Amino acid sequence: IDNRIPQSPVQGFTGRGEARAGGAERETAGSVVLETGDGRVALHADAYTRDTDDLRIKGPNISPRLQQADPARAVTFGTLPNSAARAKGGALGASMTWDRGYAGVSYAGTDTYYGTVAEPNVVIDMQSSRLDFAGELRDIGSFITGAKFKFGRTHYEHREVDLGIVGTTFRSTGYDSRVELTHAKLGPLHGAIGAQFGDVDFSAQGAEAFIPSTNTRNRAMFLFEDAKFGQLTLSFGARHERTGVRSDGGGPADPATGNPRFDPAQQRDFNANSGSLGALWRFTPDVALAVNGTRTERAPTFYELFANGPHVATNAYEVGNAAFGKEKSTGVDVALRWKTAKHSASVGVFQNRFQNFLTLFNAGNQRGADGELNPVDADGDGRADGSGEEILRELQYRAVPARFRGLEAEGKFRVLEQGASMLDVNLKFDSVRADDLSTGQPLPRIAPWRFGVGLDYRRNAFGGRLDITRDRKSTRLNSSHIPLS
């Protein structure tokens, strides 16, 4: 929620700024937001910049297991090489506001340059831009009481640059739109219906393109309803989505066979249906219990379906599976919430079970960057004998039964209030345990638990904040895990 298209009248001139410095990456960052208006026309402008150095760490930059798997990889201590980044961006927006709605437009752009970590000499040069139109009408009729719409067109491009030479260029251009209608009460029911549309073209050009050119098209209908019965609120939602994913096929040739690396052009279509049920019970005005259940289906992405090639950013050879079906899961979460004028806290638990969770696994093979399976490296220099191609781990997208269980808690407590000065203490904790139910082993790339504490000081229009977060060391690993460093 960035208000780049102002949704309510702005009278006069307002602004805010922020500066940051410090951290393990020696961050320096600044941002500014300015808004002005005459009560009818509202203007918005924002800009930011952020620079970081290589991340400071304890111990070596790669794990002992990765050192054993890749003896030619340089080992450093104290910093994570090639993790520095710089970014800048901003946006301009304007809208016309009136008593029963608004309509406006915004343009935003970002420019980011960062190291890949997985490859010490490779950086990503990325630019993106987005044009948005949005609006809302309220109190428009006796049955359809309101309407919202949004349309956005995005262009994204990033280049993988190895020692100053552009290797592969990725481009993505497309649009997304959404229309939502709210209706008057139907008995106890109050809610909204809507539609969502999207169309994205993706291309990768270069010798190390690991995905063919693709088109992804989404069409969806959804509804959400709630009903209140005294202290109890019931809600339900449903969504039907049709997704088409087309691959143009072809791509770089496999030197061993002369055949294109990617399969011939093909089209996959998916119909995904999702639903949710929820209940909120207020014991008192300050305390509530929330229970939600979901059944979701997700169409696989183009890279989960069609990847087949070296991915420089992960220093691996990634392989998808065009035969994947929809990812399906069932979940439940329970949360206890407490909120007063000055304090708030919540604690919740959740569980999600996947019939076929899609993620990357270490296949146990090696590939040359040209696709050769388990090439010979007699001299141990990390390159295939004869061709000289870099040897990479093979990572495969697989569908496995999985279970996610977790705990989330947060709190905000006012510890000082004197005149115009206020000091709040913020606490947070989250943890997730994810298991591959076919093997009983942990799933790869799951973050460990983390705990955070912060101080938030405010005095009139000025404020300051201090946050400390502790992330536990990852210990739930198995032989099929993907080394992250």
Side-chain angles (χ1 to χ4, degrees):
I1 302 176
D2 50 34
N3 206 43
R4 284 175 168 173
I5 299 178
Q7 299 181 17
S8 56
V10 177
Q11 189 74 50
F13 180 87
T14 66
R16 63 184 184 271
E18 180 180 286
R20 297 186 182 188
E25 70 276 43
R26 300 179 180 88
E27 174 188 19
T28 57
S31 62
V32 61
V33 178
L34 303 173
E35 292 182 343
T36 187
D38 61 2
R40 177 58 64 91
V41 177
L43 304 177
H44 170 100
D46 65 68
Y48 73 91
T49 180
R50 180 175 184 264
D51 289 273
T52 67
D53 290 337
D54 284 344
L55 185 70
R56 288 176 291 176
I57 59 174
K58 293 183 177 180
N61 65 312
I62 58 176
S63 66
R65 183 170 56 181
L66 189 56
Q67 293 180 38
Q68 183 179 4
D70 188 3
R73 184 78 175 266
V75 181
T76 64
F77 292 82
T79 60
L80 187 60
N82 203 28
S83 58
R86 66 175 184 265
K88 61 182 179 180
L92 294 173
S95 66
M96 180 75 72
T97 64
W98 58 91
D99 292 342
R100 297 192 300 173
Y102 74 93
V105 61
S106 73
Y107 178 83
T110 63
D111 190 341
T112 308
Y113 192 83
Y114 61 95
T116 63
V117 179
E119 286 280 358
N121 299 316
V122 177
V123 296
I124 302 296
D125 187 6
M126 185 271 282
Q127 291 85 35
S128 68
S129 61
R130 181 175 176 90
L131 180 66
D132 277 302
F133 299 90
E136 180 180 4
L137 295 172
R138 297 184 291 267
D139 302 324
I140 60 177
S142 59
F143 180 67
I144 299 299
T145 59
K148 296 180 181 180
F149 78 91
K150 187 173 184 179
F151 175 88
R153 184 164 184 85
T154 302
H155 176 77
Y156 170 92
E157 180 175 315
H158 87 250
R159 293 165 292 280
E160 295 179 343
V161 184
D162 189 350
L163 295 175
I165 300 174
V166 177
T168 304
T169 300
F170 297 85
R171 293 186 179 91
S172 177
T173 302
Y175 75 87
D176 59 89
S177 60
R178 178 185 177 99
V179 178
E180 183 179 315
L181 304 175
T182 56
H183 63 77
K185 276 195 171 184
L186 297 174
L189 295 178
H190 177 267
I193 58 174
Q196 196 167 354
F197 309 91
D199 196 301
V200 178
D201 291 315
F202 170 86
S203 67
Q205 300 175 345
E208 294 187 339
F210 73 105
I211 303 173
S213 295
T214 63
N215 172 265
T216 302
R217 177 174 294 184
N218 297 292
R219 303 288 185 268
M221 299 289 293
F222 61 87
L223 66 87
F224 176 82
E225 302 287 340
D226 64 34
K228 293 185 178 181
F229 305 93
Q231 296 172 297
L232 177 65
T233 300
L234 300 178
S235 62
F236 69 89
R239 178 183 176 91
H240 171 74
E241 181 173 359
R242 180 170 178 81
T243 302
V245 188
R246 187 191 75 239
S247 165
D248 291 345
D254 182 340
T257 64
N259 297 325
R261 177 185 298 153
F262 307 125
D263 293 333
Q266 57 183 303
Q267 171 88 24
R268 292 293 315 278
D269 295 304
F270 304 90
N271 288 302
N273 298 295
S274 301
S276 64
L277 291 171
L280 179 69
W281 176 266
R282 292 196 175 275
F283 299 100
T284 71
D286 298 336
V287 181
L289 177 69
V291 181
N292 293 283
T294 60
R295 169 69 177 175
T296 61
E297 296 182 343
R298 179 183 71 86
T301 62
F302 61 89
Y303 49 86
E304 291 169 336
L305 292 169
F306 304 126
N308 188 14
H311 189 185
V312 173
T314 59
N315 194 32
Y317 193 100
E318 297 185 9
V319 180
N321 186 343
F324 278 150
K326 296 176 293 185
E327 184 183 75
K328 301 178 181 181
S329 69
T330 302
V332 61
D333 64 84
V334 180
L336 185 64
R337 304 168 183 168
W338 169 68
K339 185 175 183 179
T340 67
K342 300 178 181 179
H343 313 289
S344 64
S346 67
V347 59
V349 294
F350 65 88
Q351 176 171 289
N352 286 292
R353 294 200 61 153
F354 288 81
Q355 178 180 318
N356 54 336
F357 182 70
L358 304 180
T359 191
L360 278 171
F361 286 86
N362 193 336
N365 298 319
Q366 292 185 323
R367 292 262 196 165
D370 58 1
E372 181 183 358
L373 183 63
N374 294 321
V376 177
D377 179 20
D379 55 7
D381 64 351
R383 296 186 174 274
D385 295 346
S387 68
E389 293 286 348
E390 183 180 8
I391 296 177
L392 305 169
R393 295 164 295 133
E394 181 183 351
L395 307 183
Q396 293 181 358
Y397 283 98
R398 295 176 183 169
V400 299
R403 179 182 62 207
F404 285 67
R405 294 177 292 178
L407 170 68
E408 298 172 331
E410 62 180 353
K412 180 179 180 180
F413 307 96
R414 179 71 48 81
V415 296
L416 174 65
E417 187 169 0
Q418 188 173 14
S421 298
M422 295 177 291
L423 179 64
D424 293 332
V425 173
N426 299 305
L427 303 174
K428 61 181 180 180
F429 173 87
D430 61 77
S431 174
V432 62
R433 182 184 180 97
D435 296 297
D436 178 349
L437 297 181
S438 65
T439 63
Q441 296 294 314
L443 285 171
R445 290 183 170 175
I446 302 299
W449 63 256
R450 60 181 178 175
F451 172 78
V453 59
L455 297 176
D456 191 351
Y457 176 77
R458 300 288 172 182
R459 181 177 177 85
N460 295 324
F462 298 93
R465 185 180 179 101
L466 172 67
D467 288 292
I468 300 174
T469 302
R470 170 68 174 174
D471 294 83
R472 184 191 180 197
K473 178 181 178 181
S474 294
T475 56
R476 300 194 73 235
L477 307 173
N478 64 40
S479 59
S480 65
H481 264 56
I482 305 162
L484 294 181
S485 60

